Amino acid sequence: AALGYGAHVQPGNVYLIFDFGGGTLDVSMTLIEEEQQFQSGRRCRVLGKAGKEFGGSTIDTWLMQEVLRRNGRNDWDDDVRRISSALLGECRVAKEKLSAQERAEVSVMNPETGAVLAAEFTRTQFEELLDQHDAFSQIDKTIRRALNGARERGYTEEQVKSVLMVGGTSLIPSVQKTVQRIFGKGKVMLERPLDAVARGAAAFVAGVDFYDHIQHDYAVRWVNPQSGDYDYWLIVKRGTPYPSNEPVARMTVKATYPGQTELGISIFEVGERRERGEAPAVELVFDPSGAARVVKVAPDEEERRTHFWINEHSPTFLRAHPPSQQGEARFAIEFGIDGNKRLLITARDKRTGQVTHRDY
């Protein structure tokens, strides 16, 4: 992105990449490290990053909901369902027009009945709609989280040389103003969000590396005897660099009943939960006919989605021979991360002393 924007990239420069596309907002602080004598090219390291499942398609959905509201309709009405995909497409077109002009109209006719759903939006009304859905607040919080990650590594907001805006949703003027308000107009590069990355890729030279870090928390699930509910013990914290030279976590696996031969660990990737005060989680759902409607995500479903069971299909991979006694601390476990960002397990049978898994 920096090369695509024509930035004069130098070792020691810190850039903030603001990538706002159709489905997600991703923000990262990146350092151009000093050139190593034994390596060609410059090395880049991610200092802090944050993401949000919020993009242009989310805004299209908000516009569609507003068109229906103005027309006194609902997305579950049969005649609306027949034209919902076309309506969503018109909302996307209107959003794009409002990035370049002051007014845009949404209009869709039902070919069977001749009924028309229509609404006109000014840019001011569009920005008010974004504000109602906390769009600017979400942008600000995502940027702050990336900045906080960099601050933990000794780099502050003042050290950002340039902010590079990429992704189609970065074309929205109020989004650009939000970023400029945080960093100042002089630092924000926003002229070519659609092709900066492609231009930069064309100019990309061999030998540039990216030091990254783990973006999610990873945890082992266990049953809390006091509450009787599942709880999670963190083994890899978000922001951990990789590969790891030393184990990132250690634990012991105990047998729960006499004669147990199969033991295991339930390992979960833990996503970010919605913060208190944020609007209820919703999603766009398409039925088999192609009709679209907006539904709220139930709290238990939202909870389920924030915890992804990585080894669901092989939870009991530790084999105890001879069988374990109840309560016996049978396996000593160490966790590590390799250069391909894979979680590794080394397991030792404490009774026999045998290493059953090494960097598995």
Side-chain angles (χ1 to χ4, degrees), residues 208-224:
V208 178
D209 290 340
F210 292 89
Y211 286 116
D212 209 343
H213 61 258
I214 306 302
Q215 190 165 1
H216 298 281
D217 290 334
Y218 290 83
V220 169
R221 188 178 69 179
W222 59 288
V223 177
N224 188 324

Side-chain angles (χ1 to χ4, degrees), residues 45-267:
R45 180 158 58 96
V46 177
L47 302 171
K49 64 181 178 181
K52 186 81 176 175
E53 289 188 13
F54 159 49
S57 58
T58 313
I59 296 172
D60 299 341
T61 302
W62 295 342
L63 278 168
M64 186 177 81
Q65 289 177 297
E66 178 62 15
V67 172
L68 293 174
R69 188 192 68 80
R70 292 188 187 184
N71 286 269
R73 306 304 302 275
N74 293 298
D75 53 15
W76 58 79
D77 294 341
D78 286 341
D79 57 336
V80 172
R81 289 173 62 247
R82 293 188 183 95
I83 60 172
S84 58
S85 293
L87 177 59
L88 193 63
E90 284 295 306
C91 290
R92 184 184 68 250
V93 172
K95 174 196 66 182
E96 294 169 354
K97 285 182 178 178
L98 288 167
S99 294
Q101 58 194 50
E102 290 298 322
R103 290 178 179 274
E105 184 179 3
V106 175
S107 180
V108 178
M109 184 179 72
N110 188 323
E112 297 177 4
T113 65
V116 175
L117 285 176
E120 186 180 57
F121 294 90
T122 65
R123 184 178 290 179
T124 299
Q125 290 171 332
F126 177 55
E127 291 174 354
E128 289 174 352
L129 182 67
L130 295 179
D131 197 28
Q132 288 171 15
H133 288 276
D134 295 325
F136 307 119
S137 173
Q138 292 184 58
I139 291 170
D140 187 274
K141 288 178 180 178
T142 305
I143 291 174
R144 297 297 174 191
R145 287 195 352 252
L147 292 173
N148 289 340
R151 191 174 295 112
E152 292 176 0
R153 291 166 175 79
Y155 292 84
T156 65
E157 177 180 333
E158 289 70 27
Q159 292 171 273
V160 174
K161 178 178 175 62
S162 298
V163 177
L164 312 171
M165 297 191 70
V166 299
T169 312
S170 292
L171 285 166
I172 296 175
S174 53
V175 170
Q176 296 176 347
K177 290 177 183 177
T178 300
V179 178
Q180 288 176 327
R181 188 185 69 249
I182 297 172
F183 296 97
K185 288 186 176 181
K187 283 188 176 182
V188 181
M189 294 185 170
L190 46 74
E191 296 77 23
R192 49 177 69 256
L194 294 177
D195 65 358
V197 172
R199 285 173 175 264
F204 203 60
V205 292
V208 178
D209 290 340
F210 292 89
Y211 286 116
D212 209 343
H213 61 258
I214 306 302
Q215 190 165 1
H216 298 281
D217 290 334
Y218 290 83
V220 169
R221 188 178 69 179
W222 59 288
V223 177
N224 188 324
Q226 294 180 337
S227 65
D229 293 330
Y230 285 126
D231 211 338
Y232 295 87
W233 178 66
L234 203 63
I235 56 173
V236 180
K237 187 179 180 182
R238 185 178 66 218
T240 300
Y242 67 91
S244 59
N245 297 321
E246 299 291 333
V248 293
R250 294 181 172 89
M251 66 178 293
T252 300
V253 178
K254 296 182 179 181
T256 56
Y257 59 86
Q260 186 172 358
T261 58
E262 295 185 352
L263 295 85
I265 310 170
S266 298
I267 305 170

Side-chain angles (χ1 to χ4, degrees), residues 321-332:
H321 299 291
S324 304
Q325 299 175 10
Q326 185 173 8
E328 178 185 3
R330 188 59 188 263
F331 288 94

Side-chain angles (χ1 to χ4, degrees), residues 2-3 6-11 13 15 32 42 44 161:
L3 292 171
H8 186 51
V9 182
Q10 292 291 317
N13 287 354
Y15 293 95
I32 310 298
R42 299 190 179 95
C44 304
K161 178 178 175 62

